[in-house]
Amino acid sequence: MADPAECTIKVMCRFRPLNSSEVTRGDKYIPKFQGDETVVIGGKPYVFDRVFQSNTTQEQVYNACAQKIVKDVLEGYNGTIFAYGQTSSGKTHTMEGNLHDTDAMGIIPRIVQDIFNYIYSMDENLEFHIKVSYFEIYLDKIRDLLDVSKTNLSVHEDKNRVPYVKGCTERFVCSPEEVMDTIDEGKSNRHVAVTNMNEHSSRSHSIFLINVKQENTQTEQKLSGKLYLVDLAGSEKVSKTGAEGAVLDEAKNINKSLSSLGNVISALAEGTAYIPYRDSKMTRILQDSLGGNCRTTIVICCSPSSYNEAETKSTLMFGQRAKTIKNTVTVNIELTAEQWKQKYEREKEKNKTLRNTVTWLENELNRWRNGESVPVEEQFDKEKAKEEVQALDNILNDKPASTPNVPGVRLTDVEKDKCEAELAKLYKQLDDKDEEINQQSQLAEKLKQQMLDQDELLASSRRDHENLQAELNRLQAENEASKDEVKEVLQALEELAVNYDQKSQEVEDKTKEFEAISEELNQKSSILSSLDSELQKLKEMSNHQKKRVTEMMSSLLKDLAEIGIAVGSNDIKQHEGGSGMIDEEFTVARLYISKMKSEVKTMVKRCKQLESTQSESNKKMDENEKELAACQLRISQHEAKIKSLTEYLQNVEQKKRQLEENVDSLNEELVKLSAQEKVHAMEKENEIQTANEVKEAVEKQIHSHREAHQKQISSLRDELDNKEKLITELQDLNQKIMLEQERLRVEHEKLKSTDQEKSRKLHELTVMQDRREQARQDLKGLEETVAKELQTLHNLRKLFVQDLATRVKKSAEMDSDDTGGSAAQKQKISFLENNLEQLTKVHKQLVRDNADLRCELPKLEKRLRATAERVKALESALKEAKENAARDRKRYQQEVDRIKEAVRAKNMARRGHSAQIAKPIRPGQQPVASPTHPNINRSGGGFYQNSQTVSIRGGGTGKPEKN
């Protein structure tokens, strides 16, 4: 390939006229044009490479947009033209127009005519091979428009990492008529639909690819160029187009792919590192057109209606962003052997100069490392080296390439085979040379990198030398000051030792005090544990008393219940001495009740005593807890003081070590400096008087500096002591405040817990008092009830005795008559009573079973209905599955038959015709071959000829030659 060059994407803007619906609606014509490059919308100017007004013809648009790209493609460049805009903005009209109308045809048919016109006017030694492809992106799937059976093609990359559509149909063409026939065939298979804004709305992005390869038969120079002609589907607002169903799904996919295109344009305009080409198949195919090796022209089509003002502004903003993108274009050329040789020689000379440069730099670096100073005239000069490399390039580029003028001769088959073998051998040599060139270029890059590293190393060594010199001067200047600081450091060490002894004595005193406090704390804790054990015993006693009270109350209640049962039953002995026994039982009951009253009173007294002892023990516990908290507070204060003292001692120890290290270092420096002074004194014996004067002056200056420095140090030391005292006081105060706060918080928690405990006890006492009152009232009522029941029982006893006496008399009289009948009646009555009881039991069981069944009946009905619905759903699903299986079987059979027919036709074509032969096009004359030529058959996406090759040569009569 040739050297790359940068070029920006050209953006053209075209406004269509108002259509009939916009005129009927009364929309305004909003664009205002300023010259041929600027349009104003809403007061904002938009500048493009060219702006076309509504009255611009198709020919004017083509001449401005596409005419130059035809020449570029035939010169070996890649080109792309695509139209962008909202739906019904005139994109398809701009790209295609009326394909067979001379005035209304768009860019694609005009560019086809122009390509062949250029070819016919070029050198006769050139031979062209042109092949075309036509496919669309529908619902984000690539569909071949020349073979509708290919519905989901994939995008791959070739060896140069250029994307291409794998498996799409490529047809070789040799005339504009064949290209137009291909376009008509593909256009008939493209998806269109009717919307509210367009009667023929494109529902897919169509891409028409023209691939041109040319070869110079004399120089064997080969060039290739690709031209992408893209008609994008328009962005849609569903509220305006009224899309529904499948059209709505198409609109969603169209807007999604156009959004991906906008993201790619924005990323390229902003210069981001990652470009999202893979978000859409359309951007993946156009990857080389956007920021790659391609001359690209974008035609943005806009609506002039005020109804579409927002969409028009968005389209114009898209065009402005796209205008900032830069492509790097190169000629797609296959170098000849002589050109590869020249390139190899040029790279070899470059490597030689770079090696010399690296050797020079290494020698210079070694001299610098050895301590030598390299003069300026012997140092490496970058500008001079660049000029030498540039001169060498110019000399190598100016060498004329050997272009042998070989006349066109006809070769035999043997000669052709030899030429092909020689050509293969040369290609192999070219590959070897290419590998060697790559290795040499990599070596050159490494040498360049080494040269840059050596430059950086030289610069860094120079900087280090300067820094070391400055550091040496600074050390000599600081030497005198360090002598005076040694004495001050020694004094500070003595003071620190004295302070250390004082602090250690304070620490010993504090530790003794801490041990005394800990012993007192142990005594208090032992007292607290004894009080806790005593409190536990009191609690156990109170629990025991409570258990006794509950047991007595339960036994009392049991006795009362037995008395009530005895009173309410009719088991009274029927004899005359019964009244005496009842009186005795009642007296026993009264005695028992009085005894229980006395027991209850004694229990109440015992409870009061226990409560008083418990309150006293609680008071003692509170006092002990307060004393314990005070002790803990004092302990925490002493612990904090001990901690602060230990930290201070550690800091003092660290300072002492640092000062000792400083003293050692300063002593070493003093020894060095004294040695240097001795050396200087021996060297300057001849200048003793001058040295003595200088010495006196220096000593006076040192003495004055020393006094000032001592005063400053003493003031700083006093200030430091004051600050340390203030800091210690503040730390102690802060510690006291924190401890007091902690103590108050603990007391608050204790008071809170005691308050809760007292409220709980108060609640328990109130509940217990209420229970006692209730028990007292129940007992009083029970006494009254027992008295009433005893009185009634006494009356009943009297009545019962009287009634019994009368009955005994009557039974004595009737005993003789009814002895036999009464026994039979009693048996019948007992039998009937037993049957009645059994029947009532059975009746109750039946009623219960009936109720259970009535509860279960709705659930069973619901289950039955759900089962029936499930059966119906399964039957319908089975029926649908059978129908789908039948349809699939039928479709599969049709596909199998179609494949068989295609294979049969292909086999017939192979038997009846030779292999596919590309039809070369030669400049200088119009082609004879056409789609209706009898010797040419179109089959299976490619053109096939009979065993006779058709070629067109200039200067002839236009008839085909037969070889």
Side-chain angles (χ1 to χ4, degrees), residues 14-16 22 30-31 86 88-89 301-305 308 312:
R14 185 180 189 184
F15 284 87
R16 63 166 173 80
E22 291 169 347
I30 57 173
Q86 75 171 121
S88 77
S89 59
C301 300
C302 303
S303 167
S305 170
N308 299 319
T312 301

Side-chain angles (χ1 to χ4, degrees), residues 136 242 332 462 480 529 625 650 703 737 753 778 823 856 876:
E136 69 174 357
N332 302 313
R462 288 172 184 168
E480 295 295 331
S529 61
E625 285 177 354
Q650 289 175 359
H703 186 67
I737 290 169
S753 61
D778 293 341
E856 290 290 330
S876 60

Side-chain angles (χ1 to χ4, degrees), residues 27-45:
D27 295 343
K28 293 182 181 179
Y29 190 87
I30 57 173
K32 296 178 182 179
F33 302 96
Q34 296 179 357
D36 292 339
E37 296 180 353
T38 307
V39 60
V40 180
I41 300 289
K44 182 179 178 180

Side-chain angles (χ1 to χ4, degrees), residues 931-944:
T932 58
H933 198 280
N935 292 330
I936 301 172
N937 296 323
R938 182 181 297 170
S939 174
F943 290 102
Y944 299 92

Side-chain angles (χ1 to χ4, degrees), residues 63-181:
N63 291 334
C65 295
Q67 195 170 28
K68 190 174 182 304
I69 288 186
V70 175
K71 190 176 179 183
D72 292 336
V73 170
L74 294 175
E75 289 176 356
Y77 291 99
N78 297 332
T80 300
I81 302 173
F82 69 85
Y84 177 88
Q86 75 171 121
T87 185
S88 77
S89 59
K91 298 182 296 301
T92 305
H93 175 72
T94 301
M95 294 303 296
E96 297 179 0
N98 190 344
L99 295 176
H100 304 288
D101 188 350
T102 310
D103 296 328
M105 66 173 57
I107 290 174
I108 294 176
R110 290 177 188 274
I111 216 166
V112 169
Q113 295 285 349
D114 240 8
I115 285 173
F116 285 96
N117 291 337
Y118 268 109
I119 289 173
Y120 300 147
S121 64
M122 293 177 77
D123 188 6
E124 292 186 0
N125 294 320
L126 297 176
E127 184 175 275
F128 290 83
H129 297 268
I130 301 175
K131 57 184 178 181
V132 297
S133 301
Y134 201 10
F135 50 87
E136 69 174 357
I137 302 173
Y138 177 69
L139 297 179
D140 206 28
K141 292 182 179 180
I142 301 174
R143 180 171 171 268
D144 196 342
L145 294 176
L146 303 179
D147 186 359
V148 293
S149 63
K150 301 176 182 178
T151 57
N152 192 7
L153 301 176
S154 58
V155 182
H156 290 250
E157 289 184 350
D158 59 11
K159 62 180 180 180
N160 298 321
R161 300 189 66 81
V162 177
Y164 71 97
V165 179
K166 185 178 181 181
C168 70
T169 303
E170 293 182 336
R171 290 188 180 177
F172 287 92
V173 293
C174 61
S175 68
E177 289 79 11
E178 290 185 3
V179 181
M180 295 308 295
D181 289 346

